Amino acid sequence: MATNVVMPQMGESIAEGTIVRWIKKVGDSVDRDEPLFEISTDKVDAEIPSPSAGVLTEIKVKEGETVPVNSVVAVIGAAGEAPVSGENGTGDDASAMPAAAVGQQETSTPSKGVRIDDRSAASDARPSGAAAPGETSTPAAASRQSGGTVSREELRRQKSSPLVRRIAKEHDVDIQQIQGTGISGRVTKTDILGFIESGTSAQPAAPAPPQAARPAPGPVYKPGENVQIVPMSVMRRKIAEHMVLSAHTSPHVYSVYEVNFGRITALREKKKAAYETAGSKLTFTGFIAKAVVDALRQFPMVNASIDGDNIVYKKEINLGIAVALENGLIVPVIRNADEKNLLGLSRGINDLALRARSKKLNPDEVQGGTFTITNPGIFGALYGLPLINQPQVAILGVGTIEKRAVVIDDAIAIRPMCNLSLGYDHRLIDGAEAGRFLSFIKERLENFDEGWM
């Protein structure tokens, strides 16, 4: 019996995924849980294991193609079964396959269309012609009921956060009627509350007003010029999207402090062997993370977000650590970092960095950060001016640690020095508050108590 392989839902808000690479080819034998293909989503890249053992008989979605979650991307047949005929065994009818649970056996009479609703993709399937109880009749709903496919924009609106969907259910609002302002058109909490307050929940969303035309940039290259054009990878496109969003959202301001790492260097040399015995590397990043966590306790405004005209103070300190990958950047999160000592932070940093580079992170491990540390200094930069990781309001950049001549007690001395830069959202944080925050970190690092380890 053939088994469908589907695009998994790698998180509650993730609506689609892109096939980056097929690890196995048509005709290859595959064991259960053996890596089968690699995907890229809004949140994370990951290798997807095979749901069953057998032979990969058909690939329905080519590398580089993006499909909704729960779409069938391949078929695994029994051992010895012949591959499906066609070029490379790749079919062109993936969009016509039914949504199936991972590992579901393929039936001989599949229903038409891809059924996607605004609940979790793991919910029980129902016939495509039957509407859910209380489901609002809309063109998109009619399309689903008649077996048609759901457009990507409709899908993104449906795949909003659980909070948004709960509010929509309580107020009998069809999310598809709302023009989303979130990433990729997703409906945010602000969008749905504004929609409800406007009293237009029974009316279709009005088309967005036309935006003033921006002056077109000059040509990137001239005809006949010697250039090479390469499409952006999925990760590169997502990074570009988030960086443009951040630049357009927050008025960025920066402060840079120079910190003497003499005390940290001495403690690291003293404790490095003991930490390795405990199964963790003691790095400078661990010391910085500990000082940052202590500073965030003292300055809660830096651990906040902006929601319209409201300030949202985060009670948890979830520390993002930027990790450079071969073709991009990812920011895994250490949750409840304020509950960990230096050893716990060091273990968390090492574990997340290792799994980020081997593409073993889970989606929830790259979400929910409240503050981010990035380290351009590992590449030799004196300091960096990073963009804020939205919806956070600040980010710390760590410069290279190098020996410099400094004046100590009216004498010139050689000390390991490092520049720490704080990028912050000037809508919420003023220069004085940023200065106090950085001064606290500087004092902690220059006078680090061995008891804090």
Side-chain angles (χ1 to χ4, degrees), residues 118 157-158 160 164-165 168 173-178 187 192:
D118 58 355
R157 291 182 187 176
Q158 293 167 357
S160 299
V164 170
R165 295 201 295 276
V173 173
D174 184 355
I175 294 178
Q176 296 173 54
Q177 297 181 13
I178 304 174
V187 178
I192 192 166

Side-chain angles (χ1 to χ4, degrees), residues 240-318:
E241 180 180 325
H242 292 316
M243 292 301 95
V244 169
L245 171 68
S246 183
H248 287 174
T249 300
S250 299
H252 285 65
V253 184
Y254 296 91
S255 297
V256 181
Y257 275 47
E258 188 176 47
V259 180
N260 184 340
F261 266 58
R263 172 65 175 168
I264 297 300
T265 301
L267 284 175
R268 180 170 177 265
E269 289 300 319
K270 181 178 179 181
K271 297 289 187 178
K272 186 164 55 174
Y275 270 60
E276 289 178 355
T277 302
S280 176
K281 290 184 179 180
L282 182 57
T283 64
F284 289 113
T285 303
F287 285 100
I288 296 169
K290 176 64 174 143
V292 165
V293 167
D294 292 342
L296 292 173
R297 286 199 194 102
Q298 297 296 318
F299 300 91
M301 187 171 289
V302 186
N303 196 56
S305 291
I306 296 175
D307 182 17
D309 294 330
N310 299 320
I311 302 172
V312 181
Y313 291 96
K314 306 294 180 66
K315 298 301 183 181
E316 296 179 351
I317 297 178
N318 298 329

Side-chain angles (χ1 to χ4, degrees), residues 38 59 65 67 148 169-170 216 252 328 412 450:
E38 184 181 324
I59 292 177
E65 290 186 355
V67 295
K169 182 177 180 181
E170 290 174 354
H252 285 65
I412 296 177
E450 190 171 340

Side-chain angles (χ1 to χ4, degrees), residues 120-268:
S120 169
S123 61
D124 293 335
R126 65 175 184 270
S128 59
E135 184 174 358
T136 305
S137 177
T138 65
S143 174
R144 289 195 304 274
Q145 292 169 6
S146 62
T149 58
V150 181
S151 73
R152 186 172 299 174
E153 184 170 346
E154 291 167 350
L155 179 66
R156 283 169 172 160
R157 291 182 187 176
Q158 293 167 357
K159 289 298 177 183
S160 299
S161 70
L163 174 61
V164 170
R165 295 201 295 276
R166 179 173 61 80
I167 295 173
K169 182 177 180 181
E170 290 174 354
H171 293 82
D172 196 24
V173 173
D174 184 355
I175 294 178
Q176 296 173 54
Q177 297 181 13
I178 304 174
Q179 186 69 33
T181 61
I183 295 175
S184 300
R186 288 182 173 85
V187 178
T188 66
K189 177 184 175 184
T190 303
D191 294 333
I192 192 166
L193 291 179
F195 185 79
I196 293 170
E197 290 173 3
S198 68
T200 59
S201 59
Q203 302 295 328
Q211 297 181 350
R214 295 181 181 177
V220 177
Y221 62 92
K222 298 177 182 179
E225 188 175 348
N226 186 16
V227 298
Q228 179 186 11
I229 301 174
V230 179
M232 282 187 177
S233 66
V234 176
M235 175 175 284
R236 192 76 260 161
R237 291 200 305 268
K238 297 302 181 185
I239 292 173
E241 180 180 325
H242 292 316
M243 292 301 95
V244 169
L245 171 68
S246 183
H248 287 174
T249 300
S250 299
H252 285 65
V253 184
Y254 296 91
S255 297
V256 181
Y257 275 47
E258 188 176 47
V259 180
N260 184 340
F261 266 58
R263 172 65 175 168
I264 297 300
T265 301
L267 284 175
R268 180 170 177 265

Side-chain angles (χ1 to χ4, degrees), residues 388-402:
I388 296 168
N389 190 10
Q390 298 295 329
Q392 300 167 24
V393 294
I395 183 170
L396 185 75
V398 180
T400 187
I401 301 172
E402 61 181 4

